[in-house]
Amino acid sequence: MKRPKILFSILAIIILLIPGLLKADELPAGLKKAADSIDPLLAYQLTRTMASPEFAGRLTGDKGYTRAAKWAEARFKEWGLKPLDSTSSYLQPYPSPYTIIDQASMVLHLPVNPGPEGQIKYQTIELEPEKDFLPLLYSDSGYLTADLVFVGWGISAPELNYDDYAGVEVKGKFVLCFRGTPDRRRTEFQHHDEHRTRMKVAKDKGALGLIYIYPTAQANPNGDWLKGFMPGMITEKIADQIFKEINSTTSDLKKALETYKRPISFALKSRLTYSVSSRHFPDGTGYNIAAWVEGSDPKLKKELIIIGGHFDHCGQHLGLLFPGADDNASGSAVVMTLAKALASLNSKPKRSVMFVLFGGEELGLQGSTYFANHLPSGFEKVAAMFNFDMEGAGDGAWCGISEEPPALKEAIERANKEINIIRGINIIRGVGVRSSDFAPFFLKGIPCASIGSNGPHLAYHGTGDTIYRINPEIMGSIARVAFLSIYFLANN
Ligand SMILES: [Zn+2]
């Protein structure tokens, strides 16, 4: 009776092993190999190319951007992805006016020993581009000297019983204000926090320009060129020099506005000479660059998963290149790396996957909005959208996702079990003026996931956002976790 005992033992061992052998979360060998073969150096090299001077900071509409778009199109083609539409083009054009700033200067005239009106002596301070100030990258040309008026958040919202312009005369003057709203929790203020809204209000009130106070001077093309209007920004450090005349500081004023949630506005004795030489191009054309991989299931391939990131940055102005290596050559590189990995996979997932490099994010989500409003034909639905914005710095990643469907979270969690790079998953409850390219899709009810590296994202919108700050490993890890997440979701 020895043999049956042995057989029984072997059988018992096999039964014990079965759950391990068929563990639901075990990766098929080919998929594991494909994820492991994603090369961080490919993402790094793509980032370096995008951030190179050849593409002039990728300002949507400008020739540097268009050159870059054609370069990306050639990569998609080379890697065997399908073009966006039947005309065999990977480019989706849309109108994109843009402005280039050639020269700019700011001189502050600060009162010394302020005495009675008419007897003020001024000390002048010449500000340095980027260190102290920058024009907003849609300023009209002009050469003006005028008084400054502080107008809090620069918001005029009588319907919300709030008006930073009440009681001050801003006609023929420069208004000075912060970015933000009196109450972050009150979403009804959000529309007033759009740069476009704030500029239009200031211009309609007769101001010559709006000067933001920011912690650092940042390149910002998010707004409309308005004839005769000269917006700009100065640093908090420079604003502190201005507020000396009222014995206050930038942080005191901001704190007071945030604490009492009521306007604090006043005319200043300080004056500003502001000069800008710019070229506006109202007939610019922007491009989204899109390529896709067909699903393997005859039915489910009609469903699409969109993988996107913004391709654009702020351009080249005042002789300064804003390379946007982290923001967002890095995210574009992750999207492209994923495209190559998925295209070279032997067994494709059931659903189709489209990779899109969006134009005009920096101009206010223009490319992704256009894409979401002109979704490619031939598909029955968009099952999910993944967004990648700033993936180049740090040692971990954050992730925001739609609450539904549960399969989205499950796919990302399962992928992260293998790669272990995402440090937290938050539910996206709503979108606002600071959202990235998932927003237009989220608003259409498409399930979204947005992934970013944990930073620090130094030199944000500065000339220092160069390839030298980029870490290939973090891009590689994010590409791997995204690759598996997308595969699980597309194949589920
Ligand atoms: Zn960005």
Side-chain angles (χ1 to χ4, degrees), residues 251-266:
S251 64
D252 277 353
L253 280 167
K254 201 170 198 176
K255 207 164 133 195
L257 283 163
E258 284 169 344
T259 307
Y260 304 113
K261 301 179 179 29
R262 299 309 310 157
I264 301 169
S265 304
F266 47 85

Side-chain angles (χ1 to χ4, degrees), residues 160 181 183-192 431:
L160 301 171
T181 70
D183 194 338
R184 235 172 286 175
R185 289 161 305 176
R186 289 180 63 189
T187 52
E188 61 270 34
F189 272 111
Q190 281 216 4
H191 156 73
H192 296 278
V431 296

Side-chain angles (χ1 to χ4, degrees), residues 88-107:
S88 76
S89 176
Y90 295 75
L91 303 182
Q92 182 187 48
Y94 65 91
S96 182
Y98 68 101
T99 305
I100 304 242
I101 311 285
D102 293 317
Q103 279 178 332
S105 69
M106 265 191 195
V107 177

Side-chain angles (χ1 to χ4, degrees), residues 310 327-328 361-362 389-390 436 460-461:
H310 75 91
D327 185 14
N328 186 32
E361 193 265 359
E362 305 289 9
D389 199 351
M390 299 206 281
S436 181
Y460 177 75
H461 284 217

